[in-house]
Amino acid sequence: MSTSTPLTTTPPLVADKPSASSVAKKRLSSPWASIAAIVIAVLWTLPTFGLLVSSFRPERAIKTTGWWTFFSDPTTTFENYSKVFGEEGGVNLAAFFVNSLIICIPSVLIPMSIAALSAYAFAWIKFPGRNVLFLVIFALQIVPLQVTLIPLLKIFVSVDITGTFWTLWLSHATFALPLAIYLLHNFMREIPAGLIEAARVDGAGHVSIFFKVMLPLLTPALAAFGIFQFLWVWNDLLVALVFAGGGDEVAPITLQLANLSGTRGTAWHLLSAGAFVSIIVPVTVFLLLQRYFVRGLLAGSVKG
Amino acid sequence: MLAALLLFAAVMGVILFIAGRFGGKRGDKVVAYLYLLPAVLMLAVGLVYPGLRTIYQSFFDAAGSSFIGFDNYGTIFSDKDQLTVLRNTVFWVVVTPFVATAIGLVYAILVDKSRFESFAKALIFLPMSISFVAAGVIWKFVYEYRPDQGNVKQIGLVNQLIVWLGGKPVQLLIETPLNTFLLIIVMIWIQAGFAMTILSAAIKAIPDDIIEAARLDGVNAWSMFRKITLPSVQPTVVVVLTTIGIGTLKVFDIVRTMTGGNFETSVIANEFYRQTFNADNQGLGAALAVLLFVLVIPIVIYNVRSLRRSEAS
């Protein structure tokens, strides 16, 4: 990052702004900056890479030598993966994997639609108590889950739905609402009022405005929230432990992985393969929909 | 699952159907309340009531039967184990946000406008999509220890590095208070990507003409960072710091997966779970949860205030 660039001394006939590539070249000309960036990138990738390599090494090799020996002795096997999916190992990850999917889908769709309706009301309908109610819901974002779990568990016991997916669907959906309403409300406010007024003049009611005008425009926001919520629910352990901790029938993959990690600290062949099975879905979602995910992040944290 | 989705769709259908019957100005109010009904109902039953109930419960004893005033809170601030929990939580909340944000900011600047920007960013960002449990497993492996004997080889990277450098392998996750900081590294590893993404967007939002003017003035890289980049992204830095701070306060999975809170590594969020479900002390568990809530509030207020200030200016 030197200060004397030949670019600034050329007469500004062609372009008065340095192009992105010229700035990049200049930056890369500072070797320290590049080295620092590469060091951070390597540090951030290495732990995951090590476990990934391990998951394909034979059990004996994992337990006796470091994963870096792989480069001098590259023996690979799929045995760890077949073991974590197998019934006899007691790991049976496939069932938990399916449970995670069953938990996730309604836990994303339910709060998404409920929040979209509420956000619409907050953004486009005037009614008494609007500001106060919105403020309350906004403030509810800061309630830590821990505060709600025990009373919620008691409610679930009293209506007799413990040990079913309902506990997870309902609680995940509820916990997501404050953020979802806030995010979707922000997006909706940016839609020009003229669009809605025009629709109203044409005689459209709130239901058809919601479906015909709002929803199509809201797709990116819904996608952003959806990915957020999906990752959050897929990766959750606390809610799962409290509400699905009792039985394996409804437990998600994170719970089984945590159990493995607790009871079999040394079963690295199972743990490494298991961890990667649990990572596949969120990482795929992340890589495919990165754009929306980042957009959701930015909408939630910084303005402008 | 299908049954749940169908039932849910039916409820939504009824709401929309009723809403469709109303028109005109007066109908607006009805529609608004109908649209809000499911959300308000769920939040009241699932968040507000349980929250209040837990606050109430925190004034009761372990069995939840007799009122003991502020005794549970007294325990948190006097019991030796609980004080360790508080100390660890302070370590977590002080170290994680600052280190993660600093790394995120530096990295965002380093890769900004470089040829590999999006790939480089994805590498740092990827841990964000991994569960804390999986992250815990990944790092437990990095920290893995094998006893120091002639024919035993280390399989954890950190201990191997220590051995290569001529040291003796350390039981990293048992050594106090080193283990708490090793757990904090995991959280930093996850959160740096978040900081990087948000700050990168803020850096890109700095107007080109300001940067160009500074460049023409012959400002060097360091003063560019101090006089232009940092002041421009400062409000965003506050948001990132506080967001990570709040997330860190609530973190539980990392501690539980990696040490189970043993060897003096417990934090408030983990202790809540342990007291409530393992030690069967619901009163103390509730008090810990309430404390968590109380600790989050000032961070949020600070966040909202600084956001207001930056919007006003």
Side-chain angles (χ1 to χ4, degrees):
Chain A
M1 286 196 236
S2 66
T3 50
S4 57
T5 46
L7 260 176
T8 51
T9 56
T10 48
L13 271 174
V14 191
D16 53 355
K17 223 167 69 175
S19 71
S21 64
S22 73
V23 174
K25 263 186 214 130
K26 197 182 83 153
R27 232 168 262 269
L28 284 175
S29 69
S30 159
W32 289 112
S34 314
I35 290 172
I38 291 168
V39 166
I40 297 177
V42 168
L43 282 178
W44 252 248
T45 319
L46 212 54
T48 318
F49 179 74
L51 200 73
L52 179 63
V53 169
S54 292
S55 70
F56 289 108
R57 297 179 75 214
E59 180 180 350
R60 243 192 74 79
I62 298 177
K63 286 181 173 166
T64 51
T65 55
W67 55 266
W68 46 89
T69 3
F70 170 81
F71 296 108
S72 51
D73 171 29
T75 26
T76 56
T77 170
F78 280 99
E79 205 176 299
N80 303 328
Y81 284 93
S82 64
K83 262 204 188 113
V84 292
F85 279 113
E87 305 250 341
E88 73 270 26
V91 186
N92 206 6
L93 224 45
F96 294 95
F97 190 90
V98 173
N99 282 351
S100 274
L101 280 179
I102 295 178
I103 292 167
C104 276
I105 295 166
S107 297
V108 172
L109 293 179
I110 294 175
M112 197 192 265
S113 17
I114 290 180
L117 277 186
S118 306
Y120 176 84
F122 279 125
W124 294 111
I125 308 179
K126 281 210 175 76
F127 59 91
R130 174 164 87 156
N131 292 334
V132 176
L133 195 58
F134 187 69
L135 197 72
V136 170
I137 290 181
F138 174 77
L140 283 176
Q141 281 186 66
I142 66 169
V143 175
L145 294 189
Q146 278 88 346
V147 183
T148 64
L149 293 177
I150 300 305
L152 213 47
L153 189 62
K154 283 178 183 154
I155 295 177
F156 289 148
V157 171
S158 68
V159 294
D160 202 22
I161 52 168
T162 43
T164 68
F165 285 115
W166 285 101
T167 56
L168 291 156
W169 291 330
L170 286 172
S171 39
H172 279 306
T174 309
F175 297 150
L177 280 177
L179 178 71
I181 292 174
Y182 176 69
L183 277 182
L184 295 179
H185 169 264
N186 285 355
F187 269 87
M188 280 200 206
R189 287 301 300 174
E190 279 165 25
I191 295 169
L195 264 178
I196 285 97
E197 270 153 31
R200 295 216 80 174
V201 170
D202 287 348
H206 284 298
V207 177
S208 55
I209 293 179
F210 179 76
F211 279 103
K212 293 198 180 121
V213 183
M214 282 295 161
L215 277 190
L217 291 170
L218 213 58
T219 317
L222 288 172
F225 166 74
I227 297 157
F228 246 123
Q229 174 70 355
F230 183 85
L231 290 180
W232 159 251
V233 175
W234 185 275
N235 289 335
D236 159 78
L237 176 67
L238 181 61
V239 178
L241 259 177
V242 175
F243 297 135
D248 285 352
E249 302 82 41
V250 297
I253 196 162
T254 45
L255 192 65
Q256 179 66 345
L257 193 61
N259 288 341
L260 278 180
S261 163
T263 55
R264 313 191 194 192
T266 50
W268 282 114
H269 59 298
L270 299 180
L271 263 182
S272 56
F276 273 95
V277 174
S278 84
I279 288 173
I280 290 167
V281 172
V283 166
T284 311
V285 167
F286 166 79
L287 289 177
L288 287 178
L289 306 168
Q290 212 187 109
R291 217 155 34 96
Y292 293 109
F293 184 51
V294 170
R295 199 168 167 171
L297 262 185
L298 297 177
S301 313
V302 264
K303 297 196 129 194
Chain B
M1 180 172 73
L2 274 179
L5 287 176
L6 284 176
L7 181 68
F8 168 70
V11 172
M12 295 300 274
V14 168
I15 288 174
L16 287 169
F17 177 76
I18 300 175
R21 310 265 97 189
F22 289 89
K25 274 267 179 275
R26 206 166 304 146
D28 273 7
K29 269 187 234 165
V30 183
V31 174
Y33 290 132
L34 267 174
Y35 278 14
L36 289 170
L37 185 71
V40 169
L41 211 64
M42 284 174 82
L43 287 172
V45 177
L47 223 60
V48 179
Y49 163 77
L52 296 173
R53 181 83 210 169
T54 298
I55 295 174
Y56 176 75
Q57 204 66 45
S58 71
F59 298 111
F60 284 79
D61 67 349
S65 50
S66 51
F67 184 82
I68 54 168
F70 280 91
D71 278 11
N72 285 321
Y73 295 92
T75 308
I76 296 175
F77 289 101
S78 62
D79 182 73
K80 194 177 145 288
D81 291 344
Q82 297 302 321
L83 284 175
T84 309
V85 169
L86 289 185
R87 183 202 66 183
N88 289 342
T89 306
V90 171
F91 285 160
W92 275 82
V93 176
V94 170
V95 177
T96 317
F98 287 99
V99 178
T101 307
I103 292 175
L105 181 60
V106 167
Y107 195 76
I109 292 172
L110 290 179
V111 302
D112 191 44
K113 293 179 185 159
S114 82
R115 244 191 313 161
F116 308 103
E117 183 171 349
S118 56
F119 175 70
K121 280 174 155 180
L123 284 182
I124 309 296
F125 195 41
L126 212 54
M128 279 272 297
S129 61
I130 298 174
S131 69
F132 288 109
V133 179
V137 171
I138 287 172
W139 280 87
K140 225 173 140 177
F141 196 60
V142 174
Y143 296 147
E144 179 74 354
Y145 160 85
R146 289 286 136 112
D148 184 24
Q149 287 160 7
N151 52 357
V152 176
K153 286 182 183 149
Q154 295 302 320
I155 64 167
L157 188 58
V158 173
N159 267 320
Q160 181 64 69
L161 286 176
I162 293 175
V163 170
W164 273 334
L165 293 172
K168 279 196 171 203
V170 187
Q171 297 206 43
L172 294 164
L173 288 175
I174 293 180
E175 209 86 21
T176 317
L178 172 73
N179 48 13
T180 289
F181 289 96
L182 292 175
L183 299 189
I184 289 174
I185 288 178
V186 182
M187 188 65 174
I188 292 171
W189 181 69
I190 294 169
Q191 296 292 344
F194 166 76
M196 186 266 301
T197 308
I198 309 275
L199 290 168
S200 172
I203 290 170
K204 288 192 190 305
I206 302 173
D208 282 343
D209 44 343
I210 297 183
I211 299 170
E212 193 46 33
R215 204 190 301 278
L216 286 171
D217 285 347
V219 169
N220 70 27
W222 174 242
S223 0
M224 180 80 110
F225 172 73
R226 263 199 41 214
K227 296 196 177 127
I228 304 209
T229 314
L230 207 53
S232 313
V233 300
Q234 199 205 347
T236 315
V237 168
V238 173
V239 173
V240 171
L241 279 176
T242 48
T243 309
I244 297 180
I246 295 168
T248 306
L249 262 180
K250 297 192 243 178
V251 79
F252 141 90
D253 333 36
I254 294 177
V255 176
R256 197 186 141 88
T257 314
M258 294 184 71
T259 62
N262 298 317
F263 320 115
E264 298 182 24
T265 54
S266 196
V267 289
I268 294 178
N270 183 65
E271 195 62 18
F272 152 79
Y273 187 85
R274 192 147 82 159
Q275 290 299 337
T276 311
F277 295 100
N278 301 348
D280 241 346
N281 192 341
Q282 285 204 18
L284 188 56
L288 285 160
V290 174
L291 178 64
L292 203 61
F293 183 45
V294 172
L295 289 175
V296 169
I297 294 172
I299 307 183
V300 174
I301 291 176
Y302 179 71
N303 200 344
V304 170
R305 271 211 185 143
S306 59
L307 208 69
R308 279 242 181 90
R309 222 178 304 133
S310 72
E311 267 170 13
S313 63

Short mmCIF file of all heavy atoms in Angstrom, two decimals, chain B residues 188-223:
data_model
loop_
_atom_site.label_atom_id
_atom_site.label_comp_id
_atom_site.label_asym_id
_atom_site.label_seq_id
_atom_site.Cartn_x
_atom_site.Cartn_y
_atom_site.Cartn_z
N ILE B 188 -14.66 -16.65 18.14
CA ILE B 188 -14.06 -15.64 17.27
C ILE B 188 -14.01 -16.15 15.83
O ILE B 188 -14.33 -15.45 14.88
CB ILE B 188 -12.64 -15.28 17.77
CG1 ILE B 188 -12.73 -14.56 19.12
CG2 ILE B 188 -11.90 -14.42 16.75
CD1 ILE B 188 -11.40 -14.35 19.79
N TRP B 189 -13.63 -17.42 15.72
CA TRP B 189 -13.54 -18.07 14.41
C TRP B 189 -14.88 -18.01 13.68
O TRP B 189 -14.95 -17.77 12.49
CB TRP B 189 -13.11 -19.53 14.64
CG TRP B 189 -12.93 -20.36 13.42
CD1 TRP B 189 -11.95 -20.24 12.48
CD2 TRP B 189 -13.74 -21.47 13.01
NE1 TRP B 189 -12.10 -21.21 11.52
CE2 TRP B 189 -13.18 -21.99 11.83
CE3 TRP B 189 -14.87 -22.10 13.55
CZ2 TRP B 189 -13.72 -23.09 11.16
CZ3 TRP B 189 -15.40 -23.19 12.88
CH2 TRP B 189 -14.83 -23.67 11.71
N ILE B 190 -15.97 -18.19 14.45
CA ILE B 190 -17.30 -18.16 13.84
C ILE B 190 -17.73 -16.72 13.52
O ILE B 190 -18.27 -16.45 12.46
CB ILE B 190 -18.33 -18.82 14.78
CG1 ILE B 190 -18.02 -20.31 14.91
CG2 ILE B 190 -19.75 -18.63 14.25
CD1 ILE B 190 -18.80 -21.00 16.00
N GLN B 191 -17.46 -15.79 14.44
CA GLN B 191 -18.03 -14.45 14.31
C GLN B 191 -17.24 -13.50 13.42
O GLN B 191 -17.78 -12.49 12.98
CB GLN B 191 -18.18 -13.82 15.70
CG GLN B 191 -19.16 -14.54 16.60
CD GLN B 191 -20.58 -14.44 16.11
OE1 GLN B 191 -20.90 -13.60 15.29
NE2 GLN B 191 -21.44 -15.31 16.60
N ALA B 192 -15.97 -13.79 13.17
CA ALA B 192 -15.16 -12.88 12.35
C ALA B 192 -15.79 -12.69 10.96
O ALA B 192 -15.76 -11.59 10.40
CB ALA B 192 -13.73 -13.39 12.22
N GLY B 193 -16.38 -13.75 10.43
CA GLY B 193 -17.00 -13.67 9.11
C GLY B 193 -18.17 -12.70 9.10
O GLY B 193 -18.36 -11.93 8.15
N PHE B 194 -18.93 -12.74 10.18
CA PHE B 194 -20.05 -11.80 10.31
C PHE B 194 -19.53 -10.37 10.33
O PHE B 194 -20.00 -9.52 9.57
CB PHE B 194 -20.81 -12.13 11.61
CG PHE B 194 -21.77 -11.06 12.05
CD1 PHE B 194 -22.99 -10.91 11.42
CD2 PHE B 194 -21.43 -10.20 13.09
CE1 PHE B 194 -23.86 -9.92 11.83
CE2 PHE B 194 -22.30 -9.21 13.49
CZ PHE B 194 -23.52 -9.07 12.85
N ALA B 195 -18.53 -10.12 11.18
CA ALA B 195 -17.95 -8.78 11.27
C ALA B 195 -17.42 -8.34 9.91
O ALA B 195 -17.66 -7.21 9.45
CB ALA B 195 -16.84 -8.76 12.31
N MET B 196 -16.71 -9.25 9.25
CA MET B 196 -16.10 -8.93 7.96
C MET B 196 -17.16 -8.52 6.93
O MET B 196 -16.99 -7.53 6.23
CB MET B 196 -15.32 -10.16 7.50
CG MET B 196 -14.50 -9.99 6.26
SD MET B 196 -15.40 -10.50 4.80
CE MET B 196 -15.77 -12.20 5.16
N THR B 197 -18.25 -9.29 6.86
CA THR B 197 -19.28 -9.01 5.86
C THR B 197 -19.90 -7.63 6.07
O THR B 197 -20.03 -6.83 5.14
CB THR B 197 -20.39 -10.07 5.95
OG1 THR B 197 -19.77 -11.35 5.89
CG2 THR B 197 -21.37 -9.92 4.83
N ILE B 198 -20.30 -7.36 7.32
CA ILE B 198 -20.96 -6.09 7.60
C ILE B 198 -20.00 -4.93 7.37
O ILE B 198 -20.35 -3.92 6.76
CB ILE B 198 -21.45 -6.07 9.07
CG1 ILE B 198 -22.25 -7.33 9.38
CG2 ILE B 198 -22.23 -4.80 9.36
CD1 ILE B 198 -23.67 -7.28 9.04
N LEU B 199 -18.77 -5.07 7.87
CA LEU B 199 -17.81 -3.97 7.76
C LEU B 199 -17.39 -3.76 6.30
O LEU B 199 -17.16 -2.63 5.87
CB LEU B 199 -16.59 -4.25 8.64
CG LEU B 199 -16.93 -4.14 10.12
CD1 LEU B 199 -15.80 -4.70 10.97
CD2 LEU B 199 -17.21 -2.69 10.50
N SER B 200 -17.30 -4.85 5.57
CA SER B 200 -16.95 -4.73 4.16
C SER B 200 -17.99 -3.89 3.42
O SER B 200 -17.65 -3.03 2.59
CB SER B 200 -16.85 -6.12 3.54
OG SER B 200 -16.70 -6.03 2.17
N ALA B 201 -19.26 -4.12 3.75
CA ALA B 201 -20.33 -3.32 3.12
C ALA B 201 -20.19 -1.86 3.50
O ALA B 201 -20.37 -0.96 2.67
CB ALA B 201 -21.69 -3.85 3.55
N ALA B 202 -19.83 -1.61 4.76
CA ALA B 202 -19.68 -0.22 5.22
C ALA B 202 -18.50 0.44 4.51
O ALA B 202 -18.56 1.62 4.13
CB ALA B 202 -19.48 -0.20 6.72
N ILE B 203 -17.43 -0.32 4.32
CA ILE B 203 -16.24 0.24 3.64
C ILE B 203 -16.60 0.59 2.20
O ILE B 203 -16.22 1.65 1.69
CB ILE B 203 -15.08 -0.78 3.67
CG1 ILE B 203 -14.55 -0.91 5.10
CG2 ILE B 203 -13.97 -0.35 2.73
CD1 ILE B 203 -13.58 -2.04 5.29
N LYS B 204 -17.35 -0.28 1.56
CA LYS B 204 -17.72 -0.02 0.17
C LYS B 204 -18.66 1.19 0.05
O LYS B 204 -18.78 1.78 -1.01
CB LYS B 204 -18.36 -1.26 -0.44
CG LYS B 204 -17.34 -2.35 -0.67
CD LYS B 204 -17.89 -3.46 -1.53
CE LYS B 204 -16.96 -4.66 -1.56
NZ LYS B 204 -15.59 -4.32 -1.99
N ALA B 205 -19.33 1.51 1.15
CA ALA B 205 -20.27 2.63 1.10
C ALA B 205 -19.58 3.97 1.28
O ALA B 205 -20.21 5.02 1.13
CB ALA B 205 -21.34 2.44 2.19
N ILE B 206 -18.28 3.96 1.61
CA ILE B 206 -17.56 5.24 1.73
C ILE B 206 -17.49 5.87 0.34
O ILE B 206 -17.05 5.21 -0.61
CB ILE B 206 -16.13 5.02 2.27
CG1 ILE B 206 -16.18 4.33 3.64
CG2 ILE B 206 -15.40 6.35 2.39
CD1 ILE B 206 -14.81 3.94 4.16
N PRO B 207 -17.93 7.14 0.21
CA PRO B 207 -17.96 7.75 -1.12
C PRO B 207 -16.58 7.79 -1.79
O PRO B 207 -15.58 8.08 -1.14
CB PRO B 207 -18.44 9.18 -0.83
CG PRO B 207 -19.12 9.10 0.49
CD PRO B 207 -18.45 8.01 1.25
N ASP B 208 -16.56 7.48 -3.07
CA ASP B 208 -15.30 7.43 -3.82
C ASP B 208 -14.55 8.75 -3.80
O ASP B 208 -13.32 8.77 -3.74
CB ASP B 208 -15.58 7.05 -5.28
CG ASP B 208 -15.82 5.55 -5.43
OD1 ASP B 208 -15.46 4.83 -4.48
OD2 ASP B 208 -16.37 5.13 -6.46
N ASP B 209 -15.31 9.86 -3.85
CA ASP B 209 -14.60 11.16 -3.96
C ASP B 209 -13.79 11.47 -2.71
O ASP B 209 -12.74 12.10 -2.80
CB ASP B 209 -15.58 12.30 -4.30
CG ASP B 209 -16.85 12.23 -3.48
OD1 ASP B 209 -17.11 11.15 -2.91
OD2 ASP B 209 -17.58 13.23 -3.40
N ILE B 210 -14.27 11.01 -1.54
CA ILE B 210 -13.49 11.24 -0.31
C ILE B 210 -12.16 10.50 -0.40
O ILE B 210 -11.09 11.05 -0.12
CB ILE B 210 -14.27 10.74 0.93
CG1 ILE B 210 -15.56 11.55 1.09
CG2 ILE B 210 -13.41 10.84 2.18
CD1 ILE B 210 -16.35 11.20 2.31
N ILE B 211 -12.24 9.24 -0.83
CA ILE B 211 -11.02 8.43 -0.95
C ILE B 211 -10.09 9.05 -1.98
O ILE B 211 -8.88 9.19 -1.77
CB ILE B 211 -11.38 6.99 -1.36
CG1 ILE B 211 -12.26 6.36 -0.29
CG2 ILE B 211 -10.12 6.15 -1.58
CD1 ILE B 211 -12.88 5.05 -0.68
N GLU B 212 -10.69 9.48 -3.08
CA GLU B 212 -9.89 10.05 -4.17
C GLU B 212 -9.19 11.34 -3.71
O GLU B 212 -8.00 11.54 -3.96
CB GLU B 212 -10.80 10.33 -5.37
CG GLU B 212 -10.09 10.62 -6.65
CD GLU B 212 -8.97 9.62 -6.91
OE1 GLU B 212 -9.08 8.43 -6.54
OE2 GLU B 212 -7.95 10.05 -7.48
N ALA B 213 -9.93 12.18 -2.99
CA ALA B 213 -9.36 13.44 -2.50
C ALA B 213 -8.18 13.16 -1.58
O ALA B 213 -7.12 13.79 -1.69
CB ALA B 213 -10.43 14.23 -1.74
N ALA B 214 -8.37 12.17 -0.70
CA ALA B 214 -7.28 11.83 0.23
C ALA B 214 -6.07 11.32 -0.54
O ALA B 214 -4.93 11.67 -0.25
CB ALA B 214 -7.76 10.79 1.23
N ARG B 215 -6.35 10.53 -1.58
CA ARG B 215 -5.27 9.97 -2.37
C ARG B 215 -4.47 11.09 -3.06
O ARG B 215 -3.25 11.07 -3.09
CB ARG B 215 -5.82 9.00 -3.40
CG ARG B 215 -4.82 7.95 -3.85
CD ARG B 215 -5.36 7.19 -5.05
NE ARG B 215 -6.63 6.52 -4.74
CZ ARG B 215 -6.69 5.35 -4.13
NH1 ARG B 215 -5.60 4.74 -3.76
NH2 ARG B 215 -7.85 4.79 -3.89
N LEU B 216 -5.19 12.06 -3.57
CA LEU B 216 -4.53 13.17 -4.25
C LEU B 216 -3.70 13.99 -3.26
O LEU B 216 -2.67 14.55 -3.61
CB LEU B 216 -5.57 14.07 -4.92
CG LEU B 216 -6.19 13.49 -6.19
CD1 LEU B 216 -7.35 14.35 -6.66
CD2 LEU B 216 -5.16 13.33 -7.28
N ASP B 217 -4.17 14.01 -2.00
CA ASP B 217 -3.40 14.72 -0.98
C ASP B 217 -2.16 13.93 -0.56
O ASP B 217 -1.40 14.39 0.30
CB ASP B 217 -4.26 14.98 0.27
CG ASP B 217 -5.25 16.10 0.01
OD1 ASP B 217 -5.07 16.79 -1.01
OD2 ASP B 217 -6.19 16.26 0.80
N GLY B 218 -2.00 12.75 -1.10
CA GLY B 218 -0.83 11.94 -0.78
C GLY B 218 -0.88 11.31 0.59
O GLY B 218 0.13 11.13 1.25
N VAL B 219 -2.10 10.98 1.05
CA VAL B 219 -2.24 10.35 2.37
C VAL B 219 -1.75 8.91 2.30
O VAL B 219 -2.05 8.20 1.34
CB VAL B 219 -3.74 10.39 2.77
CG1 VAL B 219 -3.98 9.50 3.98
CG2 VAL B 219 -4.16 11.81 3.05
N ASN B 220 -0.98 8.49 3.28
CA ASN B 220 -0.49 7.10 3.23
C ASN B 220 -1.53 6.13 3.77
O ASN B 220 -2.56 6.53 4.30
CB ASN B 220 0.86 6.96 3.94
CG ASN B 220 0.75 7.14 5.45
OD1 ASN B 220 -0.30 6.87 6.03
ND2 ASN B 220 1.81 7.60 6.07
N ALA B 221 -1.22 4.85 3.61
CA ALA B 221 -2.22 3.82 3.91
C ALA B 221 -2.71 3.90 5.36
O ALA B 221 -3.90 3.77 5.63
CB ALA B 221 -1.63 2.44 3.64
N TRP B 222 -1.77 4.12 6.28
CA TRP B 222 -2.15 4.13 7.70
C TRP B 222 -3.07 5.30 8.03
O TRP B 222 -4.09 5.12 8.69
CB TRP B 222 -0.88 4.15 8.55
CG TRP B 222 -1.16 4.30 10.03
CD1 TRP B 222 -0.76 5.33 10.82
CD2 TRP B 222 -1.90 3.42 10.86
NE1 TRP B 222 -1.21 5.13 12.10
CE2 TRP B 222 -1.91 3.97 12.16
CE3 TRP B 222 -2.58 2.21 10.65
CZ2 TRP B 222 -2.55 3.36 13.23
CZ3 TRP B 222 -3.21 1.60 11.72
CH2 TRP B 222 -3.20 2.17 12.99
N SER B 223 -2.71 6.52 7.52
CA SER B 223 -3.61 7.64 7.85
C SER B 223 -4.92 7.52 7.08
O SER B 223 -5.94 7.98 7.56
CB SER B 223 -2.99 9.00 7.57
OG SER B 223 -1.73 8.91 7.08
#
